[in-house]
Amino acid sequence: MARSCSMMTTLPPTSPLLGAVRLLAVVAAMLVVAGGGGCDGAVLKAHFYWRSCPAAEAVVRDIVVARVAADPAALPAKLLRLFFHDCFVRGCDASVLIDSTAGNTAEKDAAPNGSLGGFDVIDTVKAVLEAICPGTVSCADIVALAARDAVSFQFGRDLWDVQLGRRDGVVSRASEALAKIPSPSNNFSTLEANFGSKGLDIKDLVILSGAHTIGVAHCNTFASRLSGFRTSGGADPTLNAAYAAKLRARCGPARVASSNNVTAVAMDPGSPAGRFDAHYYVNLKLGRGLFASDAALLSDRRAAGMIHRLTRRGYFLQEFGNAVRKMGRVGVRTGGRGEIRRNCRAVNSDI
């Protein structure tokens, strides 16, 4: 039975407080809907499938761990990025997994998603879960669990808990991905507005940016920082000069780098590939944030004030878990909204 957004009460029908409680419930529901956050996020819960598919979380973990063990340097970043990009368009509903059709260009084929990976891992998990628990576990929950399990692999423990119960969206449009996914060239005010529209604050922005401690970026995503500032051919002055020289040596001058979507560089130079740690913030303080959106965090007094504490590994890991859990509730569909896709790449009506 689908749960509603209304407040629940055990007051007897004759209680003089019942009318007031009902009024408060209606007002609360209206406020949540008006705020755009979606009341369904409140019904996500831990171990959602413990009755309907008890093996669900173990299946996800086993498959993801096996795949990450074979590719520990790259796969955690891919699966974490897949989760982020999904949540920023229509909420965490696995719309990023849907394939384009003759009549629709889907999110995954939008420019910001062109370098996404890990789809095959999600496909494998879904196939196994459909075999043992047909029509039960959503693709959206698989993405959320896979991101956590992939990043946690190196620690031998879960870095954060994942609340479950998301349902899958049935709409996926490339135009929305292009408009809503944060760009590596965004300035701070644009980033703040983008995150704020998802119910995420400046602290969440700064902490979630720390995901750039793993993964790589292609030269074309930061080429604009390599020239065109102050003097002809000069690099972005907020970019460490020695670091800029290394980037040019690897990618070529800006005019060459701008079309280079093949050569990749680490987003957190100086940190071992795949190591999820607080080194990203150390680099920020040294002017070695790769993207303009990274450097932008230092342009705001509030954001910059958070960075020193985040250079402490333990503090960063704790706060990242809090922020990614919050992100995982953005725009979720539960109850009677959405569906449980049988194939993560297509809505059920197209299968």
Side-chain angles (χ1 to χ4, degrees):
M1 179 178 179
R3 295 177 61 178
S4 72
C5 297
S6 61
M7 294 173 61
M8 303 299 292
T9 178
T10 56
L11 292 173
T14 56
S15 169
L17 295 177
L18 186 56
V21 169
R22 283 176 174 162
L23 178 60
L24 287 172
V26 171
V27 172
M30 290 175 66
L31 286 173
V32 171
V33 172
C39 55
D40 290 317
V43 302
L44 295 180
K45 62 182 181 181
H47 311 302
F48 179 84
Y49 299 105
W50 75 276
R51 285 184 176 174
S52 60
C53 189
E57 293 183 51
V59 167
V60 179
R61 186 187 308 274
D62 288 349
I63 293 172
V64 170
V65 164
R67 294 293 296 273
V68 171
D71 188 12
L75 190 54
K78 291 179 180 179
L79 290 171
L80 182 58
R81 188 165 176 249
L82 193 65
F83 187 33
F84 279 21
H85 280 224
D86 181 43
C87 291
F88 269 80
V89 184
R90 291 188 168 267
C92 310
D93 68 347
S95 56
V96 73
L97 304 180
I98 296 175
D99 285 341
S100 295
T101 63
N104 177 64
T105 303
E107 288 175 35
K108 65 167 55 172
D109 290 320
N113 291 332
S115 59
L116 287 182
F119 295 103
D120 58 324
V121 179
I122 306 301
D123 288 340
T124 299
V125 172
K126 182 61 173 175
V128 173
L129 289 175
E130 282 298 301
I132 62 176
C133 305
T136 302
V137 183
S138 71
C139 301
D141 278 344
I142 294 172
V143 172
L145 286 167
R148 189 274 309 274
D149 293 344
V151 175
S152 298
F153 170 75
Q154 64 189 271
F155 298 93
R157 62 179 177 85
D158 290 344
L159 285 186
W160 64 89
D161 62 286
V162 178
Q163 293 187 318
L164 304 169
R166 299 168 188 78
R167 289 172 67 84
D168 299 323
V170 296
V171 176
S172 181
R173 299 190 181 104
S175 58
E176 294 182 347
L178 190 61
K180 296 179 180 180
I181 294 174
S183 166
S185 63
N186 283 158
N187 60 28
F188 187 83
S189 60
T190 301
L191 290 169
E192 182 181 8
N194 190 318
F195 275 68
S197 70
K198 309 298 185 298
L200 302 172
D201 58 24
I202 291 176
K203 183 177 181 181
D204 300 318
L205 163 59
V206 175
I207 292 167
L208 292 173
S209 295
H212 289 173
T213 188
I214 53 175
V216 298
H218 295 106
C219 297
N220 62 310
T221 61
F222 55 84
S224 62
R225 302 192 73 200
L226 301 182
S227 69
F229 293 85
R230 289 189 177 175
T231 59
S232 178
D236 182 341
T238 65
L239 190 63
N240 178 284
Y243 182 44
K246 289 181 179 179
L247 293 175
R248 282 194 296 269
R250 181 160 180 80
C251 297
R255 66 180 183 279
V256 175
S258 62
S259 59
N260 184 345
N261 61 357
V262 176
T263 303
V265 301
M267 290 195 290
D268 187 9
S271 180
R275 179 183 291 177
F276 196 82
D277 58 22
H279 191 260
Y280 164 82
Y281 299 102
V282 175
N283 271 331
L284 274 190
K285 294 173 68 175
L286 296 173
R288 296 192 300 199
L290 183 61
F291 301 130
S293 59
D294 294 321
L297 300 182
L298 295 172
S299 69
D300 181 84
R301 177 182 54 81
R302 299 160 298 173
M306 301 175 189
I307 289 172
H308 179 69
R309 292 184 67 190
L310 287 165
T311 60
R312 305 200 318 252
R313 177 177 176 271
Y315 180 71
F316 166 63
L317 294 180
Q318 174 187 323
E319 291 299 324
F320 187 85
N322 294 335
V324 78
R325 276 195 300 269
K326 184 176 176 181
M327 185 194 73
R329 295 193 293 271
V330 171
V332 297
R333 289 157 173 76
T334 61
R337 300 174 62 209
E339 64 182 18
I340 304 298
R341 280 188 233 137
R342 297 191 296 273
N343 177 344
C344 291
R345 292 176 177 263
V347 299
N348 290 339
S349 60
D350 289 340
I351 297 175

